Amino acid sequence: MLAKPRGYCAGVDRAVQTVEEALKLYGAPVYVRKQIVHNKHVVSTLEASGAIFVEENEEVPEGSTVVFSAHGVAPEVHEQARARNLKAIDATCPLVTKVHHEAKRFAADDYDILLIGHEGHEEVVGTAGEAPAHIQLVDGPDSVDKVVVRDPAKVVWLSQTTLSVDETMETVARLKTKLPLLQSPPSDDICYATQNRQHVVKEIAPDCDVVIVVGSKNSSNSVRLVEVAVDAGARAGHLVDYASEIQDEWLEGATTIGVSSGASVPEDLVMDVLSHLAARGFGEVTEYTTTEERLTFSLPQELRRDMKAAAAAKA
């Protein structure tokens, strides 16, 4: 059973395209702060094309081009780039930017902000950096007891965009028991793609002996898909970067296998998994679709401006 939607979301597509177009326009090398998206294959493919991945702006030679990853960065990262005279292209997913705007707005109104997310995840670090004095991290339902706020009537929750919907709602429910006046974000923070991929996996999992999710271990939304599959009734769930990582013992005794992929996974890796499974007797594929995704995002404005200028110069 092949889940759909799966694979690239609009934010990932935009971020990967940003690096590809920057390489075409400016030539190699183009520096990228952190992994552009959390996928081993995508990163190695871009490296082969001339992208250089670094952890911090200090590693980028002064005056060079740097792309900020889809997960978003704190304001101080933009300031560091300006100080080093870097040409910064911000490939932050617009849905992450929306959460940044919410954080700034609630902080300006002097709210305590409870950010539900995973400690150390790049997206959480970037969002928290927008208003560090106002934001405290709530890492799952078990962290709720540690929450302390100044005014229980002036508190709001926001979330990382790639979390488990069910676990986030459980965390919110616990927070509301403790803080009955807790406000919710004006619109859902967990992104459409994360929700859609979890929803279809939840639908197919009860009929699957095993669910294989294609994705990298540092990809929050991919890891969540495995958890969702097992919680929804699959006998087992496994995360793989490549078809070659599938172990034959996982398939022993199985009659139905579910396949999905995280939001930063190219479709050809999923096709490789299907070929691998077909060679082991699982050749009949039924695609199970819960919704069609049509959302696209335009490239970052800094890049579009330069592409337009380059096109005009050629003409």
Side-chain angles (χ1 to χ4, degrees):
M1 294 184 81
L2 179 60
K4 186 181 177 183
R6 63 181 176 273
Y8 271 17
C9 62
V12 164
D13 200 25
R14 171 185 189 261
V16 174
Q17 260 191 4
T18 296
V19 180
E20 290 170 345
E21 292 296 337
L23 282 163
K24 277 187 220 164
L25 189 61
Y26 310 121
V30 165
Y31 293 84
V32 184
R33 184 185 177 276
K34 309 285 187 190
Q35 290 192 355
I36 185 70
V37 296
H38 286 156
N39 185 266
K40 193 193 282 189
H41 180 77
V42 170
V43 169
S44 60
T45 303
L46 290 172
E47 277 177 333
S49 301
I52 296 176
F53 291 87
V54 298
E55 283 301 300
E56 297 299 342
N57 286 337
E58 293 84 74
E59 299 167 61
V60 182
E62 291 212 14
S64 299
T65 298
V66 64
V67 178
F68 295 147
S69 82
H71 309 103
V73 297
E76 66 183 15
V77 175
H78 287 280
E79 286 157 26
Q80 291 162 359
R82 279 192 290 272
R84 290 183 65 77
N85 193 30
L86 302 180
K87 180 182 186 59
I89 297 170
D90 190 353
T92 301
C93 172
L95 299 176
V96 174
T97 302
K98 175 181 84 78
V99 181
H100 283 222
H101 289 325
E102 288 169 354
K104 286 189 281 196
R105 187 160 63 78
F106 283 111
D109 291 337
D110 203 29
Y111 274 74
D112 278 344
I113 300 165
L114 306 179
L115 178 60
I116 301 171
H118 296 301
E119 187 162 11
H121 190 280
E122 283 150 46
E123 186 187 324
V124 164
V125 172
T127 302
E130 293 287 0
H134 289 264
I135 291 177
Q136 57 185 301
L137 182 66
V138 183
D139 194 342
D142 296 338
S143 303
V144 169
D145 294 344
K146 301 181 202 138
V147 169
V148 179
V149 299
R150 294 167 301 158
D151 179 356
K154 218 168 178 192
V155 58
V156 64
W157 70 271
L158 303 177
S159 86
Q160 184 181 332
T161 62
T162 54
L163 299 180
S164 154
V165 177
D166 292 343
E167 187 182 311
T168 302
M169 289 299 102
E170 188 190 332
T171 306
V172 171
R174 284 212 204 175
L175 285 169
K176 284 191 169 166
T177 303
K178 181 171 181 161
L179 299 161
L181 298 175
L182 177 70
Q183 292 188 38
S184 298
S187 63
D188 209 330
D189 284 347
I190 296 179
C191 95
Y192 78 96
T194 299
Q195 296 193 43
N196 289 345
R197 279 149 194 69
Q198 287 179 19
H199 177 65
V200 66
V201 163
K202 206 184 270 191
E203 292 276 313
I204 66 171
D207 298 320
C208 296
D209 300 300
V210 184
V211 173
I212 292 169
V213 175
V214 188
S216 292
K217 289 181 176 61
N218 64 337
S219 162
S220 174
N221 77 85
S222 301
V223 172
R224 299 291 85 73
L225 283 177
V226 178
E227 294 170 356
V228 165
V230 174
D231 288 347
R235 194 182 71 206
H238 299 283
L239 184 66
V240 298
D241 267 297
Y242 298 102
S244 58
E245 295 170 17
I246 296 170
Q247 296 174 28
D248 285 344
E249 54 263 36
W250 297 349
L251 314 178
E252 281 171 16
T255 55
T256 305
I257 296 174
V259 175
S260 185
S261 59
S264 45
V265 176
E267 182 67 359
D268 56 344
L269 298 186
V270 178
M271 294 302 113
D272 290 346
V273 165
L274 294 183
S275 300
H276 182 96
L277 293 172
R280 282 152 185 79
F282 297 92
E284 191 186 320
V285 179
T286 303
E287 190 168 56
Y288 190 96
T289 306
T290 49
T291 187
E292 294 290 342
E293 292 179 347
R294 294 190 174 85
L295 185 66
T296 57
F297 294 130
S298 56
L299 292 170
Q301 60 183 24
E302 312 92 340
L303 183 59
R304 275 182 295 152
R305 193 172 52 232
D306 286 358
M307 287 167 76
K308 205 171 172 181
K314 270 187 192 168

